[in-house]
Amino acid sequence: MNRRTFLGSAAAAPIAAQSAKPPNIVFLISDDHSVPDMGCYGSSWVRTPNLDRLAADGMRFTRGFVTSPQCSPNRSSILTGATPHTTSTSRLHTAMPDWEPTVVDRLKDRGYFTGAFRKVHQGPSFDRRWDYYGKAGAPFAEFFERRPKDRPFFLHFGSTDPHRPYKDGAFQPPTDPASVKVPPFLPDSPEIRADLAHYADFISRMDRESGEILRLLDEQEVANDTLVMMTGDNGLPFPRAKGTLYEPGIHVPLIARWPGRIKPGTVASEMIAHVDLPATWLEAAGAAALPKMQGRSFLPRLTGGTYRPRTEVFAERNWHDNYDPSRCVRTERYKLIWNATPAKPYWPIRDLADSRTWASYLQLDRQGKLSPEHQQLLRPTRPSYELYDLQADPNEFVNRADDPALRETFDGLRQKLAGWMTDTYDYLPPAPRSSPV
C-alpha cells in the first residue's frame, strides 16, 4: 500500500456502467461468530440449515477476516472500507463521524432504498442515514412493504446473536453439550461445553432469522436480482478469540450468493478482508468509490473474472472495556502480532470475564489441570512480538518471533505492518524492531 492508493486513485475498483441495472444487496451479519461454527464450514454440532443452503447456492470463502476483533470498530470498516483508526472509530461504541461518507450514502446516491434491522452499532446519528430503520421487534416484512418497487435496495440485517449474555431457550431443541466439539484453543470442561452449547443455540437463532429474510426475497420474486452476503463481525465470545488477534478472533464466515452471476457450490480460498466488502458492493452497484477506501473489490472473483488475490490482511485491537492496543499482519502462511503494551497480561473483555468459561478456565488453572498451551493465556506479561507459522501451528501456540530460522520472515512482516500503519494514519507509532519493555 502507498499513500496514493490510500487517497483513492488505485483503491477504487472499476465502476460498472451507470446504465446497467444494479442488483439489490442484502447483508447478513452475525455478532461474535467464528469459523468453523456453521454446518457448511464443517461443524457437526452447530445447526445452520438456512445459511448452509445459502453457501450451497453461492460461494463460501474459507478465509474471510475482520479488520478488528471488536464489534463497532469492525462494523465501521465494513461501512467505510477503511480500517477503524483511519476514521477515528477504533474505540468500542465510538459513533461514525457525521463527516465520514459510507457505503450507505454512496448507494443512496445511486438510487438505492436503504434499510437496516437490529444492530448497526454506529450511533443514533448514523441510524438516521437509512431510509428505513427497523427497531428491535420490527417484522422483516415491513421493509419489503415500504421499499419502492422501482428502485434497487440495500438491506442490512445486524443480528445480535450469538453475542452474550446467554440463557436457555434461544433455540429448540437445545444443543446437547455432549455433542460439542471443544476447539483446541480452549480447555475441555463441563462448564465450557455448556457455554459453547448456548453459543451454538444463539447461532441457530440467527440462522433462523436469516432464513426469514431469504424467504421474503423468494416471496417478493427478487431473489434472482439480489446479491446476498453473510459474515460475522468478529470472533466468538470466548477467551483467545473475541478481542484478540489470534485466528479465532479475526477469522469469520463469509458467504455470497447471486443467482446467475455466482456459480453455486463454489469454495474460494483467497484471503478477503472486511474492508473489501463495500468496494465489492459499490462496484456491483455501479456507484462511486469512497474517498478513504482501502479495500479492493472481489466482484471479479465472485463472477468468474480475472482477480488478483491479496497477499496479506491486517487487523487492529484497541480500547474495548480495557486498553490493549495491538496490530497484526497475516499472510497465507504466517502471522505477526505486535503487542504495544506487553507488560500488561491478557484480560478478557467484560462479557467474557463474567462467563462460565472464564470461571472454569481459572478454576482449572488453580487445580493444575491446564495444559502448558492453555496456561500461556495466563502469563503475567506477553511478548512484544508473536510470530506464528499457521501451516505448522494453526492454533498459534508456538511463538517463533525469536527463531533465527525465521528472521527474514519476521523482518519482512514487521516492515509490512509498519508500512500499513504509516499509510493508513495509525495513531500508534509504527511497530519497533525491539521490545519497548
Side-chain angles (χ1 to χ4, degrees):
M1 180 182 292
N2 54 50
R3 287 186 187 275
R4 191 184 323 181
T5 299
F6 167 59
L7 292 173
S9 62
I15 295 177
Q18 292 290 318
S19 59
K21 181 182 178 181
N24 307 310
I25 302 170
V26 171
F27 180 49
L28 313 171
I29 181 168
S30 53
D31 195 358
D32 300 357
H33 183 189
S34 297
V35 165
D37 301 327
M38 292 169 61
C40 59
Y41 281 93
S43 176
S44 61
W45 55 280
V46 182
R47 295 163 290 176
T48 52
N50 294 294
L51 296 175
D52 294 347
R53 282 194 293 273
L54 187 72
D57 292 340
M59 182 177 293
R60 174 174 61 86
F61 285 88
T62 60
R63 287 190 279 190
F65 295 95
V66 303
T67 57
S68 177
Q70 305 166 262
C71 294
S72 65
N74 188 65
R75 290 168 185 263
S76 77
S77 69
I78 293 174
L79 293 165
T80 64
T83 197
H85 62 247
T86 301
T87 56
S88 303
T89 56
S90 61
R91 292 171 61 92
L92 184 73
H93 301 312
T94 298
M96 179 71 71
D98 289 339
W99 60 82
E100 287 292 346
T102 69
V103 67
V104 177
D105 307 294
R106 286 292 188 265
L107 291 175
K108 288 174 73 173
D109 291 344
R110 181 70 170 102
Y112 276 72
F113 182 77
T114 62
F117 284 97
R118 312 282 176 80
K119 188 172 184 177
V120 177
H121 210 186
Q122 300 300 303
S125 178
F126 187 80
D127 291 344
R128 292 190 287 273
R129 296 197 198 187
W130 304 93
D131 295 308
Y132 169 89
Y133 185 78
K135 297 181 180 179
F140 298 137
E142 189 171 89
F143 170 82
F144 292 93
E145 292 166 358
R146 295 192 183 185
R147 72 174 182 90
K149 301 302 187 288
D150 60 345
R151 294 167 57 188
F153 62 82
F154 175 66
L155 175 60
H156 173 294
F157 168 47
S159 176
T160 55
D161 292 330
H163 198 289
R164 294 179 183 274
Y166 296 149
K167 59 183 180 180
D168 293 338
F171 197 79
Q172 297 296 331
T175 301
D176 182 359
S179 72
V180 169
K181 184 178 180 181
V182 179
F185 65 89
L186 290 174
D188 193 341
S189 73
E191 294 80 11
I192 292 174
R193 283 182 168 272
D195 215 11
L196 286 166
H198 271 140
Y199 164 70
D201 288 347
F202 279 63
I203 293 173
S204 295
R205 186 167 70 176
M206 184 270 175
D207 175 84
R208 181 177 62 201
E209 291 190 310
S210 296
E212 293 175 19
I213 293 175
L214 297 175
R215 281 190 290 275
L216 283 166
L217 294 177
D218 290 333
E219 291 173 7
Q220 295 269 322
E221 298 183 345
V222 294
N224 288 338
D225 303 317
T226 302
L227 168 61
V228 180
M229 283 195 186
M230 179 272 164
T231 192
D233 70 340
N234 52 243
L236 75 166
F238 284 77
R240 225 175 191 271
K242 180 181 179 180
T244 80
L245 298 177
Y246 299 120
E247 290 293 281
I250 67 172
H251 187 191
V252 293
L254 179 59
I255 298 169
R257 185 191 76 180
W258 190 359
R261 300 296 300 276
I262 297 176
K263 184 179 178 180
T266 305
V267 178
S269 61
E270 291 88 348
M271 291 189 294
I272 303 294
H274 271 182
V275 288
D276 299 334
L277 299 184
T280 304
W281 299 335
L282 293 178
E283 184 181 8
L290 293 160
K292 296 181 181 178
M293 185 174 286
Q294 299 154 13
R296 47 187 299 198
S297 171
F298 56 98
L299 184 66
R301 181 65 182 92
L302 296 176
T303 58
T306 300
Y307 175 67
R308 180 171 56 87
R310 282 179 167 272
T311 57
E312 65 273 321
V313 294
F314 300 91
E316 62 178 286
R317 201 280 198 199
N318 299 287
W319 186 88
H320 200 92
D321 48 55
N322 56 57
Y323 186 57
D324 187 13
S326 51
R327 305 287 185 264
C328 83
V329 54
R330 186 205 194 277
T331 64
E332 292 280 339
R333 180 169 178 176
Y334 295 100
K335 180 193 289 181
L336 181 70
I337 298 174
W338 174 49
N339 296 306
T341 54
K344 295 174 58 177
Y346 167 80
W347 188 253
I349 58 181
R350 186 172 299 138
D351 58 338
L352 308 191
D354 294 337
S355 70
R356 66 173 80 180
T357 288
W358 188 239
S360 178
Y361 209 113
L362 297 178
Q363 182 181 32
L364 291 170
D365 181 56
R366 290 190 296 269
Q367 295 172 343
K369 295 181 179 179
L370 279 184
S371 69
E373 291 80 12
H374 293 140
Q375 281 181 326
Q376 291 182 31
L377 200 62
L378 305 178
R379 57 197 169 194
T381 62
R382 293 171 295 172
S384 292
Y385 287 104
E386 300 175 58
L387 175 63
Y388 297 106
D389 181 344
L390 299 173
Q391 180 176 302
D393 177 30
N395 296 306
E396 300 164 288
F397 286 147
V398 182
N399 180 12
R400 301 184 64 183
D402 295 326
D403 187 340
L406 291 179
R407 175 53 53 184
E408 184 176 346
T409 297
F410 175 89
D411 287 342
L413 291 176
R414 188 185 64 83
Q415 292 296 333
K416 284 181 181 289
L417 187 59
W420 170 74
M421 293 174 69
T422 300
D423 290 343
T424 57
Y425 302 98
D426 202 336
Y427 64 87
L428 290 178
R433 177 182 294 275
S434 59
S435 170
V437 177

